[in-house]
Amino acid sequence: MEVVGVYSVLIDLGARSYSIAIGSDLLGSAGIYLGLPSASTALIVSNNKVAPLYVAKLRSGLHGRFDVIHEVLLPDGEEHKNWKVLQSIFDTLLSNGCDRKTVLFALGGGVIGDMTGFAAASYMRGVPVVQVPTTLLAQVDSSVGGKTAINHPLGKNMIGAFYQPRLVVCDLATLDSLPLRELSAGLAEVIKYGPIADTNFMDWLESSMEALLARERSALAHAVRRSCEIKAWVVSQDEKETGLRAILNFGHTFGHAIEAGMGYGVWLHGEGVAAGMVMAAELSCRLGLVDAAFVERLTALIARAGLPTKGPVLDVTDNAGRYLELMRIDKKSEGGEIRFVLIDGPGKAVVRAAPDALVREVIDACCV
Ligand code: NAD
Ligand code: GLY
């Protein structure tokens, strides 16, 4: 197996700064956890798929740091990212007498990370949390930056908090067991960083897609590191998304509508984002912000990652109307006006509204 070094990316947020450790076989390495606050109890939150693969490694890395390490396993899947399952984390904490120093470890993908982060933000008004992301999507995006949430039947990630972790541990070895469909979904969030911030990264992705799909460690290390660097740069300037941070939602306005419209868990988050990026790029093109060649280039890259480039039909009688209805619930909406992340020339994003009629045209052109 290829050997890669350990990289550290800093999220610079003053007193709430933390680092992202990126490398192979980090979970069981005690040194990674040295800077964490001392506490007598910890709680590992995971699920039945991930825990059998990695909880023992994580426990070995934490050996001797805590008197007792509790565990709670949540049901697996986006459809379980809700109040009822969140409550089971609080039940475990309270029934075990966990105090306000208890450290939570989120071991899993973005669903586990978002729910554990929200639990940590709320339990006793805030306890430390460490993100240990085991999907590519979680390593390049959801574990970093402190967005935590659960879904509401009327909208995705609608209930949540900004709450930064103390540490993020991206162990590339965990990606070996990830199903290919999930790897591709993670690549959607990797790809998004190119059009919004770094065309050189887009060039690199074009030349490295085969290596990424083959899970070559050095390629994965670069993809995770560069993605985290770009996210760190954005989050450090706009932690609470008052402006710039919204660009990280490129493809998400259409993507969230797809996820909610199909029913959570039917399309993966990354798949919705992939088709959503094509739609947002097409809208950018029709607004004269970027040329058709760029839309084609981005679409080809998304297809090579094994991702959908067309959105699903959500309503056979008025598909565009259904997309618009769902998109109005988006958190970027202001006064019922949908705001889109658009590409304003390669490597630069802008957030703005667009005429409904034009959005309808784009949806009609981009759905099958
Ligand atoms: P996920 O958490 O559902 O994980 C995908 C699947 O892979 C699950 O079945 C999981 O159990 C399994 N899995 C996880 N790690 C594995 C491994 N190493 N080997 C084998 N199987 C493994 O999905 P995801 O794509 O990681 O995350 C999607 C979620 O992240 C969505 O809820 C989305 O809203 C959220 N998200 C949040 C942010 C944020 O900033 N907080 C950003 C992007 C996405
Ligand atoms: N995933 C978008 C953000 O963290 O802002």
Side-chain angles (χ1 to χ4, degrees):
M1 179 54 74
E2 237 182 315
V3 177
V4 296
V6 181
Y7 305 106
S8 180
V9 176
L10 178 74
I11 305 283
D12 187 359
L13 291 169
R16 284 168 295 101
S17 297
Y18 56 96
S19 58
I20 308 164
I22 303 162
S24 287
D25 302 306
L26 300 185
L27 284 191
S29 156
I32 293 286
Y33 309 101
L34 281 179
L36 290 179
S38 58
S40 56
T41 50
L43 173 69
I44 297 173
V45 183
S46 191
N47 68 31
N48 282 320
K49 205 177 272 180
V50 178
L53 298 170
Y54 300 114
V55 89
K57 281 190 185 137
L58 177 57
R59 278 183 176 277
S60 76
L62 300 176
H63 184 72
R65 279 203 68 86
F66 303 97
D67 297 338
V68 52
I69 302 177
H70 302 288
E71 220 170 281
V72 59
L73 302 188
L74 309 184
D76 186 22
E78 184 72 34
E79 63 277 29
H80 299 293
K81 195 175 159 185
N82 57 31
W83 272 118
K84 185 168 165 260
V85 177
L86 181 72
Q87 176 74 16
S88 68
I89 305 179
F90 299 133
D91 293 345
T92 307
L93 286 163
L94 285 166
S95 60
N96 286 292
C98 293
D99 62 21
R100 65 193 334 169
K101 285 190 162 176
T102 303
V103 182
L104 268 54
F105 289 83
L107 176 67
V111 169
I112 292 290
D114 278 12
M115 295 188 75
T116 309
F118 190 32
S122 333
Y123 186 66
M124 297 200 174
R125 301 197 183 92
V127 292
V129 61
V130 176
Q131 293 284 348
V132 188
T134 61
T135 64
L136 180 60
L137 184 141
Q139 294 190 355
V140 300
D141 192 358
S142 65
S143 66
V144 174
K147 276 190 183 175
T148 74
I150 55 169
N151 298 328
H152 185 279
L154 291 179
K156 192 168 155 62
N157 293 334
M158 282 293 151
I159 321 290
F162 284 100
Y163 192 69
Q164 301 296 340
R166 299 297 179 99
L167 172 70
V168 180
V169 181
C170 296
D171 186 338
L172 302 169
T174 63
L175 303 180
D176 288 349
S177 57
L178 200 61
L180 184 59
R181 185 179 170 199
E182 298 289 351
L183 187 77
S184 288
L187 286 171
E189 298 281 18
V190 174
I191 289 170
K192 92 176 169 195
Y193 291 110
I196 63 168
D198 185 352
T199 48
N200 289 337
F201 188 47
M202 207 164 155
D203 296 342
W204 180 84
L205 285 169
E206 283 170 335
S207 61
S208 308
M209 191 49 76
E210 275 68 41
L212 288 166
L213 287 167
R215 300 172 209 233
E216 285 178 22
R217 287 274 166 89
S218 55
L220 288 170
H222 182 73
V224 174
R225 180 185 179 180
R226 188 66 196 127
S227 300
C228 288
E229 282 171 353
I230 295 170
K231 184 150 187 184
W233 172 75
V234 172
V235 170
S236 299
Q237 293 176 76
D238 180 22
E239 181 187 5
K240 301 272 173 77
E241 199 170 308
T242 53
L244 177 71
R245 185 166 176 168
I247 68 169
L248 297 175
N249 288 320
F250 175 51
H252 287 58
T253 310
F254 291 102
H256 283 171
I258 293 171
E259 279 186 89
M262 295 298 285
Y264 294 125
V266 178
W267 273 53
L268 299 181
H269 176 74
E271 293 170 342
V273 169
M277 286 193 286
V278 176
M279 292 161 115
E282 181 61 31
L283 182 57
S284 312
C285 180
R286 290 181 190 225
L287 284 163
L289 299 173
V290 78
D291 61 23
F294 182 79
V295 182
E296 272 172 40
R297 185 183 167 197
L298 177 62
T299 308
L301 183 59
I302 290 169
R304 281 182 61 208
L307 289 160
T309 56
K310 294 274 187 190
V313 172
L314 300 179
D315 185 327
V316 282
T317 51
D318 182 12
N319 186 45
R322 179 69 180 136
Y323 268 85
L324 284 164
E325 179 185 36
L326 288 163
M327 290 193 297
R328 280 190 221 289
I329 306 171
D330 189 81
K331 287 189 287 308
K332 289 184 299 306
S333 292
E334 286 177 8
E337 183 181 67
I338 307 164
R339 293 166 60 75
F340 296 91
V341 181
L342 300 171
I343 301 306
D344 190 11
K348 189 165 171 267
V350 67
V351 183
R352 54 169 278 192
D356 274 6
L358 195 64
V359 178
R360 279 182 174 274
E361 278 177 28
V362 167
I363 293 166
D364 289 342
C366 294
C367 288
V368 282

